[in-house]
């Protein structure tokens, strides 16, 4: 008897930010072979690269800078090799982030900026539904009432990138991008590794598509 598919390899990029081990465990649970590393060669060779992130935009960019992470991401995207950004790992894919009046250059994979949510309660913390993009790969098979776990004060609130990208929105007083699927590059503002069965389904869909 032969296997119908090989195990997909995923690197969780270690640049000093993010829930590395929880992301690793969540990906292992959906069948991926997962390595947590800052090694550029391993990141280039894996079927998928996950870029986590928590905390401040500027701190995450500084961490990426120390390991050449911006180039690691850019090279994979240029080669059509899948990348998934999570939380601040999504935000840093944009051209810039503005926190406390300070503008920080992002990875620039997408134009536009990440700014503070204009809402009476910040951070946006807890479970929320999303308006999934038609034809979404990440949200395939999920019901419209599926909820995902968010914890953030900043988000991309406009899309200035490719018109063919699949955009998933959520609302916390104001609309913001909850997920983007743009060719090889995907990202979620919520934490799939903290989002129970719905988050596991998102990760499973991404791994299956590698």
């Amino acid at each position: 008897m032969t296997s119908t598919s090989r195990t997909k390899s995923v690197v969780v990029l270690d640049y000093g930010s993010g829930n590395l081990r929880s992301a690793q465990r969540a990906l292992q649970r959906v069948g991926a072979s997962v390595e947590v590393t800052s090694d550029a060669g391993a990141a280039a060779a894996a079927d998928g690269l996950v870029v986590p992130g928590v905390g401040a935009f500027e701190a995450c960019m500084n961490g990426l800078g120390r390991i050449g992470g911006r180039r690691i991401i850019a090279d994979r995207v240029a080669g059509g090799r899948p990348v998934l950004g999570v939380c601040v790992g999504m935000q840093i894919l944009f051209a810039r982030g503005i926190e406390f009046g300070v503008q920080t250059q992002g990875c620039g994979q997408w134009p536009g900026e990440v700014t503070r949510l204009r809402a009476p309660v910040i951070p946006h913390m807890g479970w929320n539904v999303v308006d999934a993009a038609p034809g979404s790969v990440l949200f395939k098979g999920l019901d419209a009432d599926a909820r995902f776990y968010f914890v953030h004060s900043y988000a991309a609130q406009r899309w200035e990138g490719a018109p063919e990208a699949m955009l998933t929105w959520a609302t916390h007083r104001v609309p913001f991008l909850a997920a983007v699927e743009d060719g090889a590059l995907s990202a979620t503002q919520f934490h799939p590794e903290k989002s129970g069965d719905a988050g596991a389904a998102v990760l499973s869909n991404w791994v299956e598509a590698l």
Side-chain angles (χ1 to χ4, degrees), residues 23-199:
Q24 180 184 32
R25 289 192 295 270
L27 287 156
Q28 288 171 334
R29 280 196 293 269
V30 299
S33 172
V34 188
E35 181 181 5
V36 176
T37 182
S38 59
D39 181 75
D47 295 317
L49 177 69
V50 173
V51 182
V54 296
F57 190 107
E58 183 179 22
C60 286
M61 287 306 302
N62 288 340
L64 275 182
R66 286 191 288 271
I67 68 161
R70 186 171 177 173
R71 173 56 56 192
I72 290 170
I73 294 167
D75 285 349
R76 281 193 64 96
V77 174
R81 306 274 287 157
V83 175
L84 176 67
V86 174
C87 197
V88 184
M90 171 178 176
Q91 296 176 9
I92 59 176
L93 298 173
F94 288 86
R96 57 196 172 274
I98 302 173
E99 294 181 341
F100 307 108
V102 176
Q103 181 170 295
T104 301
Q105 184 180 12
C107 291
Q109 290 296 325
W110 294 320
E113 61 191 24
V114 171
T115 55
R116 186 175 173 88
L117 291 170
R118 296 185 301 277
V121 178
I122 293 292
H124 171 216
M125 183 182 297
W127 298 84
N128 205 344
V129 296
V130 302
D131 183 13
S136 167
V137 173
L138 292 180
F139 297 94
K140 181 181 66 175
L142 283 162
D143 295 333
D145 61 355
R147 291 180 176 270
F148 302 90
Y149 186 79
F150 292 84
V151 52
H152 63 118
S153 299
Y154 296 81
Q157 298 171 61
R158 295 176 55 197
W159 176 251
E160 302 173 29
E164 65 270 19
M166 290 185 284
L167 308 178
T168 291
W169 296 86
T171 301
H172 181 63
R173 177 60 73 91
V174 294
F176 64 89
L177 280 164
V180 176
E181 297 164 72
D182 182 21
L185 188 57
S186 300
T188 66
Q189 179 60 66
F190 58 86
H191 286 276
E193 78 281 6
K194 296 181 179 180
S195 296
D197 290 344

